[in-house]
Amino acid sequence: MNIITKTPLKGLGYRFIDQPFIPKGKDEYYLRNLQNHNTDKYRSLTAREIRELKANGNSSDDWKNIFVTNGFDCSLVQQCRFFGLVRIGKLEPYYLEFHDIRLPVGLYNSSVISCDIGDNVVINNVSYMSHYIIGNEVIIVNVNEIEVSNHAKFGNGIIKKGEKESVRIWLELCNENAGRSVMPFDGMQAADAWLWTRYRHDAALMDKFKEFTEKKFDDRRGYYGMIGDRTVIKNSRIIKDTLIGSDAYIKGANKLKNLTINSSSESPTQIGEGCELVNGIIGFGCKAFYGAKAVRFILASHSQLKYGARLINSFLGDNSTISCCEVLNSLIFPAHEQHHNNSFLCAALLQGQSNMAAGATIGSNHNSRGADGEIIAGRGFWPGLCVSLKHNSRFASFTLLAKGDYPAELDIPVPFSLIHNDVTRDRLVIMPAYWFMYNMYALARNSDKYQSRDKRTFKNQYLEYDYLAPDSINEIFTALRIMQKAVGMSSLKNKAASEEKLVETGRKMLSKNKNLNDLEVFVDGIENSTRAVELIKVAEANRIFNELIVYHGITQMVKFIIQEKHTSLQAFLKKLGKPQRQEWLNMGGQLVPKRVVQRLIADIHSGKIKSWDEVHQFYKSLSDNYPWQKCQHAYSAMLEILGIEPYKLSRNKFISLLQQAVATREWMVKNIYESRAKDYSNPFRKMVYESQKEMDAVIGKLKDNTFIRQQQEELARFKKEAAMITKTLGD
């Protein structure tokens, strides 16, 4: 049965903290007074003010416990009931206007229990408001319930004094079996969650992360809820145990419980109609509206939930959008897009810049004897319409999956590839370097788009959006060896040949730049099945990948030669140091050498790093150094693919490679234009328009495409830089 207790009315608004949890010499308001720094400005009501308040239909259990400030106009408080200690700032005869709603300053038709209320607020028709500290010029209208419990944790994965461990909130990321759970906290970044989920074998590290989280927050009972300055809350039902920053806008929410909602004047957060958000952290500048549901979650800054989206036990990275679909048990790095209905994502680690098409099912949810396994995908993961995948699977960066039901687990180590389930021939087909051959426009535009849409105001992590970066370059090297071995194996048909023999045979064949159209190339270890896995257009992909590694190396070097005004190549090479292509990891969208991650973990073990704030400062220091480290990696990769030592990179050789890079850039810009031009010349694209004029009016003219023009301008600038370096750079 429901347990309903009866207590004398005079106790309403008092004993917020149970006596055992109040420190000696303190009262129940000691934490409230720490939260509200303006307690010295209040005064008691005058006898005249009390009479006028009563005449206006107001009541209080004890008028001696109502305090106000100078500038308080008691005529602006009407039909309200007060219980406990209530402190009210100045109320002046103004009205506040927000989005065409105009409401008089003051408190009207509301029940207020033990709250502090700022200056010139509007509180109108709030049925129950208990134990909150309200900022200045706040508007709260037509709200059923705003309250806080004495053990509120505001979405953080902590427990308060006297609570059992079982009440702690965990986020069950990446895995449905809770084997990679993390304790959420305000300020948690995708990199934190990644570290916590990936190094589960390190029990001491797990203990440190738990210690950092608990140390970050106070376990004392009795903190009040807070609503920041200029926040507007209207037509909502239940707000409980929720901290709300300044300038937030909440309208028509059904339920907000156990949350921290970060918001500021620079990055306001909005929560709209029908939303139900429970047990979570919401970052600055986020939006959730039109019936979005989220339980046990983190929304990193400037992310959005829309149109009935469901987000459960998941971390959604910065600058991401999920709408219409369902996401469970997933850790998603920044710049994720999932806009369409029937998209389902479960038990996944997506490492950023991903896009889920309509009907995609990434996690068939119990397709085996137990819960789903895991999906791990590098940057730029793009499953097409109605793709269905089986756990466990893993994908290299910028993998595109064509529409289809993929019947077995996949391990795709080849980046920039198109994957196709060829049902007719019963084989899996992989086209490496697909994006560069057929859709350069989309690849380049997405990179530019993510950069321009990065709205973070706090950028302590350098988020990599360029498709050519240490992670994808390293994957290209892996792909080249796989392709070489596959070509060697398919041509020799000698199962007894060593791996090195196969690789060398394939390398020689591919170096001849033949198209190999008469050779079927098969590869092992890609799909958990007995059917064939075919690589197509291998010769073209080999040429493109080799060319891209050189192009990337030269462009990164050019950037610093121009920036630092180098006039001596050898001096610049000396600064770059000994070439060494290291292994890199994607740590929450920030690319970091693996050895540096290991150093971070060692520093946490040793106690050199003692808190999450220090971990975040470590990220910041890495971000500051990243552009130079990226250049060093690109330089090392270029020398490796060319097979030359640094001392052989003369000025003449460098200038020759620079001209090759210019040619590569010309090819890329030409490819960007042509891949977009197909949309204008394809008769099936044009058939819905009566004329070219109508088509131009609807989708714009190709020559006016701002992205293509931008790429052409950047090409012209690169050519000028190349000409200047050719003229000024000595050996």
Side-chain angles (χ1 to χ4, degrees), residues 8 40 93 95 131 166 431 445 458 533 584:
D40 57 345
Y95 69 84
H131 297 93
S166 60
M431 186 193 298
R445 182 178 175 275
F458 175 59
V533 177
W584 284 63

Side-chain angles (χ1 to χ4, degrees), residues 412-423:
I412 307 294
V414 181
F416 304 105
S417 58
L418 170 65
I419 315 299
H420 170 52
N421 181 29
D422 189 338
V423 177

Side-chain angles (χ1 to χ4, degrees), residues 357-375:
T361 302
I362 311 306
S364 50
N365 204 21
H366 310 307
N367 53 13
S368 65
R369 290 173 294 277
D372 275 348
E374 300 178 21
I375 295 281

Side-chain angles (χ1 to χ4, degrees), residues 12-82:
L12 182 58
Y14 304 97
R15 297 187 298 277
F16 180 56
I17 311 174
D18 294 334
Q19 191 61 44
F21 299 107
I22 300 177
K24 186 177 180 180
K26 303 289 186 181
D27 60 22
E28 67 168 299
Y29 306 118
Y30 80 105
L31 291 177
R32 173 181 177 178
N33 292 334
L34 288 175
Q35 291 177 271
N36 186 350
H37 304 295
N38 300 313
T39 55
D40 57 345
K41 70 178 185 178
Y42 296 105
R43 62 171 176 81
S44 299
L45 291 168
T46 66
R48 181 192 62 79
E49 288 171 330
I50 293 173
R51 288 194 301 271
E52 187 170 347
L53 286 167
K54 288 180 178 180
N56 290 339
N58 302 294
S59 66
S60 171
D61 66 294
D62 188 346
W63 289 105
K64 293 179 182 178
N65 283 331
I66 308 298
F67 294 86
V68 298
T69 65
N70 293 331
F72 171 77
D73 184 344
C74 55
S75 70
L76 303 179
V77 181
Q78 300 177 14
Q79 302 296 325
C80 291
R81 296 187 300 166
F82 299 102

Side-chain angles (χ1 to χ4, degrees), residues 470-478 549 578-584 593 632-641:
D471 59 342
S472 57
I473 291 294
N474 282 349
E475 288 173 336
I476 286 175
F477 274 93
T478 299
I549 293 171
K578 182 180 179 181
Q580 183 181 10
R581 185 172 63 86
Q582 303 178 55
E583 184 177 353
W584 284 63
Q632 290 176 312
H633 179 273
Y635 163 67
S636 301
M638 183 184 72
L639 293 185
E640 182 178 341
I641 203 67

Side-chain angles (χ1 to χ4, degrees), residues 42 46 51 65 77 113 164 176 247 273 316 318 400 409 417 488 502 518 560 565 668 722 727:
Y42 296 105
T46 66
R51 288 194 301 271
N65 283 331
V77 181
I113 301 170
K164 296 179 180 179
E176 287 186 288
D247 300 277
E273 294 83 353
L316 182 62
D318 302 279
L400 172 64
E409 298 90 338
S417 58
L502 296 173
D518 56 343
F560 279 93
K565 300 179 180 178
M668 294 170 80
K727 182 178 180 180

Side-chain angles (χ1 to χ4, degrees), residues 648-714:
K648 290 187 177 180
L649 186 59
S650 64
R651 178 189 178 280
N652 288 341
K653 179 65 173 176
F654 178 79
I655 296 302
S656 174
L657 293 173
L658 178 58
Q659 295 308 314
Q660 178 183 324
V662 170
T664 300
R665 187 60 178 269
E666 288 176 331
W667 165 75
M668 294 170 80
V669 172
K670 180 174 178 286
N671 209 345
I672 288 170
Y673 177 86
E674 290 179 348
S675 61
R676 181 58 174 149
K678 294 175 187 176
D679 296 332
Y680 286 80
S681 58
N682 186 328
F684 289 92
R685 295 270 185 168
K686 299 175 69 173
M687 68 182 178
V688 296
Y689 308 105
E690 291 295 331
S691 65
Q692 184 66 44
K693 187 175 182 180
E694 180 190 351
M695 183 177 177
D696 291 342
V698 173
I699 65 173
K701 296 180 180 179
L702 179 60
K703 67 182 182 65
D704 295 333
N705 185 291
T706 55
F707 177 70
I708 292 176
R709 291 168 65 180
Q710 174 192 326
Q711 293 299 305
Q712 292 168 341
E713 290 167 2
E714 290 181 5

